Amino acid sequence: MKEIDQLMLANRAWAAEMLAENPDYFNRNVGAQKPVFLWIGCSDSRVAPDQMTQAVPGGLFVHRNIANLVYPDDGNLMAVLHYAVHVLGVENVVICGHYGCGGVQAALDGGADQPIEDWLAHARQVLDDHRDEIDAMPTPEEKVNRLVEVNVRDQLLHLAQTEPVKKAFEADMPLTLHGWVYDLRDGHIKPLMRVTRDTVLAEVPRPERVLV
Ligand SMILES: [Zn+2]
């Protein structure tokens, strides 16, 4: 059977299973959504935010791109961020990187196809800013994993300086930014750091290593 047919069949089976468990499963979400989290993660197919957190439909507002990068001139992400924080009232924004990220690896290697190479400019900036520590890692695996971690840190700092977040902090809205990494090897999310309106961004240290 073609994979695309399998996808459709799986969808029907899932819908039937959810309805059998709870006849109101779909009806309760038809009117509106009230998610508690905005998730900014990598597009990697192995890193499925709803599954790894057992979120139900309506639980997570999601934005994904290669290497979970935050560009203030990324209209797509800024629209998602504004809508999540200022319309839906989400109080937690997560940036979640992951072990063995192909995008971060490509930034480390250089020479990816366009337009990927241009997209990865922020990740290469992270590499340049933390070159001493990355170069000091003894193995290629540790280099990419450490770059994954410091990339989450730096993207979180970019996030804190975007207009939607600055506006929320200035208005004393209860917004917290979380930096996490996901370990493909054991399925565990590992928290790295948090940023609130009281965080002095210029003094945020490099996070402890969690992926070794
Ligand atoms: Zn990735």
Side-chain angles (χ1 to χ4, degrees):
M1 183 185 294
K2 286 182 185 159
E3 288 88 349
I4 198 77
D5 295 332
Q6 181 58 38
L7 210 61
M8 200 60 73
L9 275 177
N11 164 254
R12 296 296 186 271
W14 168 77
E17 193 182 326
M18 294 303 111
L19 268 185
E21 275 179 23
N22 178 0
D24 202 35
Y25 190 83
F26 295 108
N27 279 339
R28 66 198 169 139
N29 277 324
V30 170
Q33 59 172 332
K34 190 62 186 154
V36 180
F37 294 97
L38 166 61
W39 179 281
I40 300 170
C42 184
S43 300
D44 193 300
S45 62
R46 300 164 296 178
V47 187
D50 298 273
Q51 276 170 293
M52 74 168 81
T53 60
Q54 294 195 319
V56 294
L60 289 181
F61 203 63
V62 174
H63 177 88
R64 294 170 73 177
N65 63 50
I66 292 175
N68 41 271
L69 299 176
V70 175
Y71 289 90
D73 58 353
D74 177 351
N76 183 350
L77 174 55
M78 290 308 112
V80 166
L81 184 58
H82 177 89
Y83 191 75
V85 174
H86 294 284
V87 180
L88 295 173
V90 161
E91 294 182 0
N92 296 280
V93 181
V94 173
I95 294 181
C96 189
H98 67 99
Y99 164 79
C101 181
V104 170
Q105 181 71 61
L108 201 54
D109 296 341
D113 295 341
Q114 289 295 8
I116 303 167
E117 184 69 4
D118 280 353
W119 171 255
L120 292 173
H122 261 192
R124 276 195 310 280
Q125 185 63 50
V126 176
L127 175 60
D128 289 345
D129 291 346
H130 300 274
R131 177 67 80 172
D132 54 340
E133 191 182 352
I134 304 302
D135 283 350
M137 292 291 148
T139 67
E141 189 184 17
E142 285 169 285
K143 284 184 202 300
V144 71
N145 287 345
R146 186 55 180 159
L147 188 53
V148 163
E149 292 173 347
V150 291
N151 181 50
V152 166
R153 171 198 179 270
D154 288 11
Q155 302 315 316
L156 205 67
L157 297 184
H158 293 157
L159 183 68
Q161 296 170 82
T162 60
E163 282 305 316
V165 172
K166 279 199 298 189
K167 204 169 128 191
F169 283 164
E170 282 161 14
D172 271 354
M173 291 164 67
L175 180 68
T176 304
L177 313 180
H178 307 263
W180 294 351
V181 286
Y182 173 71
D183 195 335
L184 294 172
R185 298 168 297 190
D186 62 11
H188 286 197
I189 292 169
K190 298 173 180 178
L192 279 184
M193 55 189 287
R194 284 195 317 170
V195 169
T196 68
R197 63 173 176 265
D198 298 323
T199 304
V200 180
L201 298 181
E203 295 175 4
V204 173
R206 290 176 183 177
E208 295 288 318
R209 283 179 73 194
V210 299
L211 293 176
V212 288

